[in-house]
Amino acid sequence: MASMQDQDNNKVSRRSFMGGTLGVAAGIGAAGLIGASTITRAQPAGGVPGASASSLPMLFRAEIDVQDCEVEGTIPADLNGAFYRVGPDPQYPLRPGNIPFDGEGHVSMFRICNGRVDYKTRFVKNERWTAQNEAGRILFPMYRNPSLDDPGVRGLSRSTANTHIINHKNLLLCLKEDSPPSAVDLLTLEMIDPVYRFDNQLVSETFTAHPKVDSGTGNMVAFGYEATGFGSRDVIAFEITPQGRKVWEATVQVPYVGMLHDFAVTQNYIVLYVIPMTKDDEQLARGGIHWSWDSTLPTWFGVFRRGGDGSDVQWLQGPTRSATHVMGAFDDNNRIYVDVEMSESNPFPFMPMKDGSNWDPVRGTSYITRLSADLSGRRASGYEIERLSPWTGALPRQDDRYNTMPYRYGFLGTRDINAANPREANAGYVRFDHATGTQVFWNAGPATSLAECCFAPRSPDAAEGDGYLMGVATRQNENGRGDLVILDAQRLQEGPVATVKLPVRAVGQVHGWWVPEGQLPVG
Ligand code: V55
Ligand code: FE
């Protein structure tokens, strides 16, 4: 049963977003309700399977270095590189009404080399973190609402850099979708450029947390929304080579300003998916957060050609739904396919419902769902929706070498749908095989929550899905101590081949990213 956050001492539910369990239950953050401080309305009774009260402090803030971590099992000899994670770790307690998505970014790294694992974490010490650290207090008090900012911070980047990380040009870019990236060193995690604008090539005022890497060229394809100013309808998409040269850019306008958290890139198209998590001006004026869920609005599936100027964009209308993450996407020139986690309604318990209704944990539950549209011949007017399986979860991944291409395997943090008591279903990872339409599940066992998983190929040219699946497990009966579990992605059901045991809790995570040895600097 979900517990409300205790605002006085910042205690949160053990299966919390910050504890790294995001996405394994109904929806993102649905397991945890840290956002209870935000929405003071009651949560529906019995809403969240498995959630329970806990004494884990909400703030973590400890920067950790562990040399040569204890390992159970054997680190595979062919797993060399670094597994990075990032998540919000509030530098100071969140203000009442604020949400966990506004905690300052804290990056962690498992550096894996020749069977040895070193663990390092650092706050992303960008302009926001530095100003607040000097002031000794919060200067940016509300999620994506600059009107409450301390006057002294005008002109500074508001980025928390807390959502995703990606390597580019020997840097680790720490991403928040309302701002340019913050670039840190891949090995030391020290700040290099707090407002990284790709050598002044970044035209958009914002940069997505979900850039893609083109499978053919290795180019990074990215976008920014609210790109020409706070609340603007402009979306700017662009493509940049691994060496950092911008080779394409286009601008389109969304039908309404909704949260464009992720996007899909295929060989030929860019797909935006506009959901009714909308910019709420009245709420902003009241000092609230950027978004609320407007259940009166349709979704819009927006498709435009890569290489074009955006004027060919087609907006295909669909029913009110939420989808925030893409598992994989591809096109066959006529038809475009985008696999997402989809829920009927607001997946975030801490995002307000615009009509004041209670958050609905059932309608907020996400399933992997294939969206597709026929772009040949006559202009399409809508898109199709097909649920692919009964497994729930909100943070799907794929073998990222197959971004933009037809793909076979997807991965998802989930819960055991066959548990005798659904309320006590264990967490686990599931592998989707789209060729056979089957899924394989690894049950992580009791009292364990799992962060998003990430796939690492066995070698740069290994077959699709041949490699390792990893993610951080939080042990609820060990005061939230963290383990990195590493599984053979082709034998998930056999359980971890290695478990990296941390002596402490792992800082919370939204997303993780694997950088193979060959893409790391020497040192
Ligand atoms: C997401 C996360 C965010 C955010 C907007 O997972 C969307 C979705 C951690 O911050 O600001
Ligand atoms: Fe995300």
Side-chain angles (χ1 to χ4, degrees):
M1 167 72 227
S3 64
M4 299 296 280
Q5 179 178 346
D6 177 338
Q7 291 185 28
D8 296 328
N9 59 7
N10 287 296
K11 301 292 172 64
V12 294
S13 155
R14 176 175 293 168
R15 288 176 179 264
S16 72
F17 178 87
M18 308 305 255
T21 67
L22 177 150
V24 295
I28 292 177
L33 305 225
I34 282 181
S37 67
T38 312
I39 14 181
T40 45
R41 69 187 67 112
Q43 296 299 326
V48 180
S52 58
S54 146
S55 58
L56 285 181
M58 179 171 180
L59 312 184
F60 185 65
R61 299 195 297 176
E63 298 183 320
I64 307 279
D65 281 284
V66 182
Q67 314 298 336
D68 207 349
C69 296
E70 190 182 331
V71 175
E72 225 171 69
T74 306
I75 300 289
D78 49 10
L79 184 65
N80 293 295
F83 175 48
Y84 297 92
R85 314 158 60 240
V86 69
D89 183 11
Q91 199 175 351
Y92 296 100
L94 294 173
R95 290 287 172 83
N98 205 357
I99 61 171
F101 281 0
D102 209 35
E104 282 68 27
H106 191 156
V107 174
S108 46
M109 167 179 69
F110 291 88
R111 174 76 177 100
I112 303 175
C113 192
N114 297 328
R116 170 179 167 141
V117 185
D118 296 325
Y119 178 69
K120 178 189 284 296
T121 90
R122 292 291 182 273
F123 266 115
V124 183
K125 291 172 184 151
N126 57 10
E127 293 185 345
R128 174 190 180 113
W129 186 94
T130 303
Q132 294 188 153
N133 189 52
E134 278 164 16
R137 63 191 176 88
I138 286 187
L139 302 173
F140 302 81
M142 194 57 57
Y143 175 78
R144 298 185 64 179
N145 185 348
S147 72
L148 302 187
D149 290 355
D150 190 276
V153 303
R154 201 143 295 147
L156 297 187
S157 168
R158 299 190 87 255
S159 180
T160 52
N162 69 6
T163 312
H164 202 0
I165 59 269
I166 186 172
N167 61 314
H168 173 71
K169 270 184 80 177
N170 249 355
L171 298 167
L172 186 69
L173 305 184
C174 307
L175 308 174
K176 181 72 176 182
E177 65 203 55
D178 66 353
S179 301
S182 297
V184 303
D185 186 277
L186 277 163
L187 298 179
T188 67
L189 307 183
E190 299 301 325
M191 182 54 62
I192 290 178
D193 186 350
V195 190
Y196 186 72
R197 290 200 170 91
F198 302 86
D199 297 322
N200 285 322
Q201 297 174 100
L202 182 63
V203 171
S204 172
E205 294 182 17
T206 62
F207 185 88
T208 178
H210 286 283
K212 303 287 182 272
V213 178
D214 183 282
S215 305
T217 61
N219 288 354
M220 182 163 71
V221 185
F223 74 103
Y225 72 96
E226 302 194 28
T228 57
F230 189 80
S232 73
R233 285 169 55 209
D234 290 323
V235 173
I236 300 179
F238 57 98
E239 183 161 335
I240 198 152
T241 65
Q243 293 73 36
R245 191 168 56 88
K246 190 167 70 178
V247 291
W248 172 68
E249 182 166 282
T251 303
V252 300
Q253 286 211 317
V254 282
Y256 61 78
V257 182
M259 186 170 84
L260 285 184
H261 178 63
D262 196 352
F263 76 144
V265 182
T266 70
Q267 285 294 291
N268 296 296
Y269 295 100
I270 303 284
V271 186
L272 304 175
Y273 193 63
V274 182
I275 61 168
M277 185 65 79
T278 48
K279 174 167 171 278
D280 187 328
D281 291 320
E282 285 164 31
Q283 189 170 279
L284 284 162
R286 290 196 304 269
I289 67 165
H290 202 81
W291 307 120
S292 68
W293 180 264
D294 184 346
S295 55
T296 68
L297 292 176
T299 47
W300 292 99
F301 193 79
V303 191
F304 54 105
R305 277 205 167 265
R306 291 173 63 186
D309 65 0
S311 61
D312 59 316
V313 66
Q314 293 187 58
W315 289 105
L316 312 180
Q317 189 172 341
T320 304
R321 290 285 187 279
S322 177
T324 57
H325 290 110
V326 173
M327 177 182 269
F330 55 97
D331 73 75
D332 62 10
N333 247 304
N334 293 327
R335 209 170 172 84
I336 188 150
Y337 301 88
V338 182
D339 296 343
V340 296
E341 36 81 342
M342 174 165 274
S343 56
E344 281 180 31
S345 180
N346 181 3
F348 305 102
F350 43 79
M351 294 287 191
M353 301 292 288
K354 189 166 189 170
D355 64 8
S357 63
N358 285 340
W359 181 74
D360 182 334
V362 174
R363 301 188 69 229
T365 297
S366 299
Y367 300 85
I368 301 303
T369 305
R370 178 158 290 184
L371 312 182
S372 64
D374 188 350
L375 303 177
S376 66
R378 289 169 293 112
R379 275 180 82 82
S381 59
Y383 63 90
E384 278 158 47
I385 300 178
E386 180 199 357
R387 185 178 290 180
L388 296 184
S389 93
W391 296 94
T392 62
L395 295 165
R397 294 298 294 258
Q398 70 175 150
D399 179 335
D400 284 311
R401 296 173 302 165
Y402 287 76
N403 284 182
T404 77
M405 306 263 276
Y407 74 107
R408 177 167 180 180
Y409 298 112
F411 305 94
L412 181 70
T414 187
R415 282 180 187 283
D416 186 358
I417 49 174
N418 298 313
N421 180 353
R423 292 282 184 78
E424 283 160 15
N426 291 337
Y429 291 137
V430 62
R431 187 190 74 169
F432 288 67
D433 180 340
H434 295 308
T436 60
T438 57
Q439 294 96 37
V440 172
F441 177 65
W442 166 64
N443 185 325
T448 292
S449 45
L450 292 173
E452 178 205 51
C453 54
C454 185
F455 176 81
R458 191 180 302 279
S459 66
D461 52 5
E464 183 188 358
D466 180 15
Y468 302 97
L469 195 70
M470 62 186 96
V472 165
T474 296
R475 308 301 184 186
Q476 289 146 18
N477 296 339
E478 299 177 59
N479 201 26
R481 198 185 55 73
D483 281 335
L484 176 68
V485 294
I486 300 171
L487 298 98
D488 184 326
Q490 293 180 316
R491 303 166 194 277
L492 276 197
Q493 67 284 0
E494 293 177 11
V497 295
T499 301
V500 180
K501 311 201 60 107
L502 296 178
V504 291
R505 177 183 159 198
V507 66
Q509 164 186 350
V510 181
H511 293 295
W513 188 250
W514 173 253
V515 178
E517 192 69 29
Q519 292 179 31
L520 286 173
V522 180

